[in-house]
Amino acid sequence: MASVPSLASSVNQRVADALASALPEAGAADPLLRRSDRADFQANGILALAKKAKANPRELATTVVEGIPTGDLIQEIEVSGPGFLNITITDKAIIETLAARAGDDRLGVPLAANPGTTVIDYAQPNVAKEMHVGHLRSAVIGAAMVEILEFTGEKVVRRHHIGDWGTQFGMLIQYLLEHPHELDHKSDEEVSGEEAMSNLNRLYKASRALFDSDEEFKTRARARVVDLQAGEPETLALWQRFVDESKIYFYSVFDKLDMDVQDADVVGESGYNDMLVETCKLLEESGVAVRSNGALCVFFDDVKGPDGNPTPLIVQKSDGGFGYAATDLSAIRDRVGKLGATELIYVVDARQSLHFKMVFETARRAGWLNDEVKAVQLAFGTVLGKDGKPFKTREGETVRLVDLLDEAIDRAAAVVREKAKDLSEAEIGERAVQVGIGAVKYADLSTSAARDYKFDLDQMVSLTGDTSVYLQYAYARIQSILRKSGDAQPTAHPELALAPAERALGLHLDHFGELIAEAASEHAPHKLAAYLYQLASLYTTFYAECPVLKADTPAQVENRLFLCDLTARTLGKGMSLLGIRTPEKL
């Protein structure tokens, strides 16, 4: 496994060295290199340096150019405008660098210099409740961040902080106690997620109706909450049945989303119960939290209610009950203390931003977070309908996630069937799942997480535009060319001159490693999606302008097959990091 320095970093080094010898007093200077439409790269750093050294920028630029060797890596450099450098790379350097990438399983992408341990909190459904479209974003964004960070060498611990505790369980458990067969299964065979959820739904509605209409039941249900919190064995056993039934359902949904969720990673609110008292004690003894009207509170100078009074984070209520804050703070203690986290990422709806800001600040004051251990909320926006309003059914209900995924698969089946020439019904069905689920994930991931996005299935499964299907077709088309190549093998030929479309594709392929590092450090899977879309677009142009199997010479055929192959491998790797499958045939 060898990491391959990118062309950009090699050029940057050459320019930096020449800058240092032309202006030794400036020390290590940044050439500010970026891609340019006038040449392959432009260096803009000379202006600021000249200003600092009180030199003429154009003269300094000319001196720098004289100190840069050309021929192997750099073909030509010209000074333009007030002192910019326009730099063109040799065709040979492009193909040689790409050949080094192709020779490595990781495509030459380096591992992070000093990886740590990141705990990602994502995909947090609630026990005994249906998963809806709002759960989609947390699951999809979180799963992509897990893959991207693991690819950079980070140790990643997944955490699904499911809502499995709280007062509503008193009502559910009491009802189940009085109607013991409500969660029984029809047969001993494997239970479908659909059956598990309909059991839970029915029980939830019935217990709610009874709770609202029968005062005596309400009293029994409230007493049951006390038993649950005290850990009374029979109550806990019934509570566990709700959790188990819900997991059958959750796992069926995650399975449909093509997401790997392991039992060990599901640590719900209940997982931190035995830490709550100690968390409160530590906060109170250190003075981070204070008693106010009997409640244990943390105050902030910059958080005030509409009346101008401070709005505290309530860790423990005046009746002794614990709120979300106590659980979230205990989870931070656990993740830092036991799991050794150096970073905590919470993939949670932007509407909870204030809560997390207060929780993180409290943990910092308590010393659980510091400069070595940081916590961030990867906040996401709302899923909107085509009308731009929050996504609901015609009846104004929240949309069930399962219905949405099924519909995406149906739409995808129609698209695949229309294009499929030699696929069997079984293959069409399998591709429909890969295309439909991929479409839903990609639509989510190609929008910056913080922004709201419109859920429009027609557009998501479209073959044109910025969709996963467009990327999947580009990948499948390359596989088709490679299958038809006969005896010609993908082989790099650095001696050949490249057409403009080949150069553009090659330079973009070389940028993959830097892009991965950026998506990882900024927690920005949408940047990876944008890179892949641009890669597919550049490939489409290359395919249109540069015949592959009918190229002029055998060497050119091999070199173009080499570009095709590396493009497919980069697309495949990038898509898999986003959790999207790339079928070999479409």
Side-chain angles (χ1 to χ4, degrees), residues 203-258:
L203 198 148
Y204 189 85
K205 283 182 182 139
S207 63
R208 183 85 242 180
L210 198 56
F211 187 85
D212 292 341
S213 64
D214 182 333
E215 280 305 315
E216 288 179 358
F217 177 76
K218 188 181 276 191
T219 308
R220 293 197 299 276
R222 288 195 167 140
R224 189 58 58 184
V225 177
V226 180
D227 292 339
L228 178 65
Q229 285 170 342
E232 192 276 312
E234 187 189 22
T235 305
L236 274 183
L238 290 167
W239 166 80
Q240 187 65 49
R241 286 193 65 190
F242 282 99
V243 175
D244 293 344
E245 194 76 5
S246 297
K247 280 184 175 175
I248 295 173
Y249 162 71
F250 296 156
Y251 293 166
S252 74
V253 180
F254 290 131
D255 200 40
K256 190 162 278 197
L257 263 173
D258 196 12

Side-chain angles (χ1 to χ4, degrees), residues 243-396:
V243 175
D244 293 344
E245 194 76 5
S246 297
K247 280 184 175 175
I248 295 173
Y249 162 71
F250 296 156
Y251 293 166
S252 74
V253 180
F254 290 131
D255 200 40
K256 190 162 278 197
L257 263 173
D258 196 12
M259 257 177 69
D260 175 39
V261 174
Q262 297 295 329
D263 230 14
D265 305 331
V266 181
V267 182
E269 292 166 2
S270 64
Y272 306 100
N273 283 346
D274 54 1
M275 297 176 72
L276 301 178
V277 172
E278 192 186 8
T279 295
C280 291
K281 189 166 154 244
L282 291 168
L283 291 171
E284 193 166 10
E285 284 175 358
S286 61
V288 172
V290 294
R291 291 279 164 193
S292 170
N293 299 330
L296 187 61
C297 303
V298 184
F299 288 94
F300 307 87
D301 295 338
D302 56 346
V303 185
K304 296 188 169 59
D307 54 4
N309 291 330
T311 305
L313 181 72
I314 299 173
V315 186
Q316 189 176 21
K317 300 177 215 159
S318 53
D319 67 2
F322 300 102
Y324 289 127
T327 307
D328 287 335
L329 288 161
S330 298
I332 290 176
R333 283 178 54 213
D334 179 69
R335 291 163 184 185
V336 175
K338 287 198 191 123
L339 301 175
T342 46
E343 179 168 52
L344 306 174
I345 300 176
Y346 291 77
V347 189
V348 184
D349 192 312
R351 287 170 290 199
Q352 294 185 43
S353 293
L354 179 61
H355 168 78
F356 279 101
K357 184 180 158 200
M358 292 159 84
V359 165
F360 296 162
E361 177 55 32
T362 300
R364 263 192 289 277
R365 291 179 190 177
W368 304 327
L369 295 175
N370 50 42
D371 293 344
E372 274 70 62
V373 184
K374 55 184 190 296
V376 287
Q377 182 191 359
L378 207 178
F380 55 82
T382 309
V383 181
L384 307 173
K386 287 187 196 180
D387 57 2
K389 297 193 178 91
F391 199 45
K392 296 269 195 274
T393 62
R394 290 206 183 90
E395 298 73 39

Side-chain angles (χ1 to χ4, degrees), residues 56-72:
N56 173 320
R58 230 187 129 87
E59 283 173 17
L60 176 60
T62 309
T63 313
V64 169
V65 168
E66 283 163 5
I68 297 177
T70 55
D72 58 340

Side-chain angles (χ1 to χ4, degrees), residues 424-436 583:
S424 68
E425 269 307 304
E427 285 175 317
I428 290 174
E430 185 195 332
R431 302 293 191 281
V433 173
Q434 298 182 347
V435 170

